Amino acid sequence: MKKMGLQDEELAFLRDLYVSCRRQGLGRARSVYVVPYALGVPAKTIAHALDCREPTVREHVTEAYRAFDVDNRNALYRRMLRRISPMESRRRRGRRSDNPLRRLDDQDQGRRPFD
């Protein structure tokens, strides 16, 4: 199924981000503003696409920052990924155990690997 040129995986990922916003207590309308913003779309572009003013988009994003307890776009995106599910989040970011340098770094600092 292709909608707007997106593959099934991409649609599922967008849906998962939307659901993570809803789980965090954001309303449907607010989630529509926040998901594209977290993915890196400028507020001006979102405002134009949703036929609203840029301050409206910024207001919704500010409320999302409060809900997710973050202070920037990258932190918002990472927090949204964590809210999807542990397995989905790990699959998208890559497992820590897949990186041998990370394991060596953990051992050098006296920590147990994979903590």
Side-chain angles (χ1 to χ4, degrees):
M1 175 173 134
K2 282 182 111 176
K3 291 182 182 177
M4 300 184 307
L6 298 174
Q7 301 295 324
D8 288 339
E9 294 172 353
E10 294 167 327
L11 289 172
F13 180 64
L14 290 174
R15 186 195 69 236
D16 290 344
L17 289 178
Y18 177 80
V19 168
S20 77
C21 286
R22 300 286 289 141
R23 286 182 184 161
Q24 196 65 26
L26 297 177
R28 275 187 233 139
R30 186 155 283 156
S31 299
V32 170
Y33 292 92
V34 171
V35 170
Y37 183 83
L39 292 172
V41 178
K44 188 174 186 176
T45 305
I46 296 169
H48 180 71
L50 297 176
D51 196 28
C52 66
R53 296 180 45 216
E54 191 174 347
T56 305
V57 175
R58 297 218 181 271
E59 178 183 325
H60 289 295
V61 169
T62 301
E63 287 302 315
Y65 282 174
R66 284 189 195 122
F68 281 95
D69 193 29
V70 295
D71 59 359
N72 63 52
R73 185 188 307 238
N74 290 334
L76 177 65
Y77 179 72
R78 286 192 308 268
R79 189 70 53 94
M80 289 170 72
L81 281 180
R82 277 193 225 137
R83 293 286 299 172
I84 292 174
S85 77
M87 290 305 292
E88 288 294 312
S89 178
R90 227 180 260 135
R91 189 181 80 209
R92 287 191 175 91
R93 289 181 294 164
R95 296 177 59 205
R96 286 180 66 171
S97 61
D98 292 342
N99 185 345
L101 296 177
R102 180 69 180 204
R103 280 184 274 165
L104 290 173
D105 184 46
D106 289 342
Q107 290 169 356
D108 288 344
Q109 294 180 7
R111 292 183 286 172
R112 292 186 325 202
F114 318 117
D115 282 343

